[in-house]
Amino acid sequence: MAELRTRYLGLPLRSPLVASSSPLTGNLDSLRRLEDAGVAAVVLPSLFEEEITEESLAVHGALEAGAGSFAEALDYHPERPSYETGPEPYLELVAAAKGALRVPVVASLNGDTPGGWLEYARLVEQAGADALELNLYQVAADPAHSSAALEARDLELVAAIRDAIRIPLAVKLSPYFTGLAHFACRVVEAGADGLVLFNRFYQPDLDLETLEVAPHLVLSTSADLRLPLRWIGILRGRVGASLAATSGVHRAEDVLKLLLAGADAAMQASALLQRGPGIIREIERELGRWLEEREYESVEQLKGSVSRSSAADPEAFERANYRRTLRSWSSSFPS
Ligand SMILES: Cc1cc2nc3c(=O)[nH]c(=O)nc-3n(C[C@H](O)[C@H](O)[C@H](O)COP(=O)(O)O)c2cc1C
């Protein structure tokens, strides 16, 4: 049997198959099912700093409104446990997941202010997380904010969090950077032990009945794999960090392509949501079969063998391929 073991963020994994942040990693029952199905590590859903702040403001607002409206409310201090407005439920999830699972548990943070990120990073470390993933999700919609300023802010955050914790640190990036290879290297210089490529941006839709902006979550397909595949291929061998792919990992072929491009781990959310944890064993079996048929002894042997650094045609990952791809389309109308 080919060896599927790999390392990600310095952590030994039984295979490259990791469950990325999604509602499935947000409760113990489904976390256990993922582990039973053979998942190699889990990334918990993100703790959103602004959600905590909003909840806290809402509770204070409600208490103050109540106190102003009713005389009896002046003496009324509802027994509201403080954790309802803080990160405690999340920290409890981290601790419970650590207690219940043998596979590494990666916590995830999406912060809003430098202070918030640091505080929560320390707390999830204390709660027992094996590693921390920073979810750098922001839509750069303010014309006053230059890309240089936004990138500098992200890099400062990464460096500050690196200083604040000892557990491995991964940074989940979006693909929307003009100089992505440069920025990825800077993130690693700032202290990231790994990069997670890429966060999926959910584009809002418009509802023609209500004339409102409607949130619209579309799950991925294998077609979405191409973006992380290209960038893992480009970055392997050029950044001294672990590389994990997320977006479009649905089948064993997807995982194999990512490994060939140089990924250390292949993360899944949509496929698990659509088809359940049973797909992990299926993919694992097919991985093993493919490796054996081609006489690979291990995932490690396969890793990065078609990355930009080792490919016969490094430009295939870059612009030269663009013209060829456009020309490959047939010019006739459908009949
Ligand atoms: C319902 C849902 C919830 C998600 N929540 C988070 C989250 O809290 N934090 C995060 O970093 N990514 C989150 N993601 C993104 C996934 O972790 C993953 O990166 C993305 O869906 C692309 O992978 P996929 O093609 O396997 O779905 C979520 C995705 C889905 C579908």
Side-chain angles (χ1 to χ4, degrees):
M1 177 73 186
E3 181 56 78
L4 299 186
R5 271 185 290 194
T6 181
R7 288 185 86 77
Y8 172 59
L9 304 174
L11 304 166
L13 303 189
R14 63 181 298 276
S15 84
L17 307 176
V18 173
S20 69
S21 270
S22 87
L24 284 178
T25 58
N27 68 77
L28 271 194
D29 179 45
S30 51
L31 283 168
R32 282 202 187 95
R33 286 183 59 203
L34 287 165
E35 182 175 76
D36 292 345
V39 83
V42 293
V43 186
L44 304 184
S46 299
L47 172 63
F48 286 90
E49 187 197 341
E50 76 222 61
E51 230 164 54
I52 294 176
T53 319
E54 275 163 22
E55 274 172 28
S56 155
L57 288 175
V59 170
H60 285 128
L63 289 178
E64 274 170 21
S69 325
F70 307 103
E72 64 271 30
L74 294 173
D75 306 321
Y76 174 61
H77 297 290
E79 287 298 312
R80 191 175 186 115
S82 63
Y83 68 76
E84 286 190 22
T85 62
E88 278 74 9
Y90 191 79
L91 302 174
E92 282 163 17
L93 174 68
V94 174
K98 268 309 289 174
L101 306 181
R102 291 175 305 280
V103 296
V105 173
V106 182
S108 167
L109 279 188
N110 183 287
D112 208 24
T113 59
W117 284 84
L118 286 190
E119 183 192 341
Y120 299 135
R122 287 194 194 101
L123 289 171
V124 295
E125 177 175 47
Q126 283 162 19
D130 293 295
L132 174 64
E133 185 176 290
L134 292 187
N135 171 6
L136 287 186
Y137 186 112
Q138 56 174 321
V139 177
D142 188 335
H145 295 160
S146 72
S147 51
L150 293 170
E151 288 178 15
R153 199 190 80 145
D154 283 349
L155 293 169
E156 255 175 58
L157 279 173
V158 173
I161 291 175
R162 176 66 288 162
D163 277 353
I165 57 170
R166 298 164 73 94
I167 52 176
L169 176 64
V171 177
K172 188 172 187 178
L173 294 179
S174 89
Y176 302 120
F177 289 89
T178 310
L180 180 57
H182 174 79
F183 184 66
C185 291
R186 303 276 315 272
V187 170
V188 173
E189 281 162 24
D193 303 291
L195 300 174
V196 184
L197 310 175
F198 290 107
N199 214 330
R200 223 167 122 71
F201 269 56
Y202 298 102
Q203 318 294 357
D205 202 355
L206 295 187
D207 185 320
L208 289 177
E209 289 303 319
T210 61
L211 301 188
E212 284 176 353
V213 177
H216 196 60
L217 195 152
V218 181
L219 296 179
S220 71
T221 68
S222 285
D224 296 297
L225 187 80
R226 304 284 183 83
L227 193 60
L229 184 66
R230 160 183 268 179
W231 282 99
I232 297 238
I234 288 175
L235 292 175
R236 167 55 66 204
R238 293 160 119 193
V239 290
S242 294
L243 296 174
T246 167
S247 280
V249 183
H250 286 251
R251 307 164 305 187
E253 296 100 275
D254 301 331
V255 179
L256 286 161
K257 289 176 190 175
L258 290 167
L259 291 169
L260 285 163
D264 297 295
M267 297 187 168
Q268 297 189 287
S270 294
L272 292 169
L273 286 163
Q274 283 166 328
R275 290 161 54 214
I279 59 161
I280 297 166
R281 282 264 180 260
E282 232 174 82
I283 294 178
E284 195 178 298
R285 261 198 305 274
E286 284 176 44
L287 276 185
R289 200 177 309 131
W290 192 95
L291 290 170
E292 274 160 36
E293 278 169 12
R294 284 155 187 84
E295 299 183 354
Y296 281 98
E297 283 169 13
S298 67
V299 153
E300 284 302 328
Q301 200 187 1
L302 185 73
K303 239 191 230 178
S305 47
V306 193
S307 69
R308 186 190 179 285
S309 303
S310 39
D313 175 14
E315 292 213 324
F317 281 106
E318 298 168 18
R319 186 175 160 76
N321 217 17
Y322 175 58
R323 187 175 34 82
R324 238 180 292 151
T325 310
L326 297 185
R327 297 282 177 270
S328 70
W329 193 261
S330 147
S331 58
S332 55
F333 286 118
S335 45

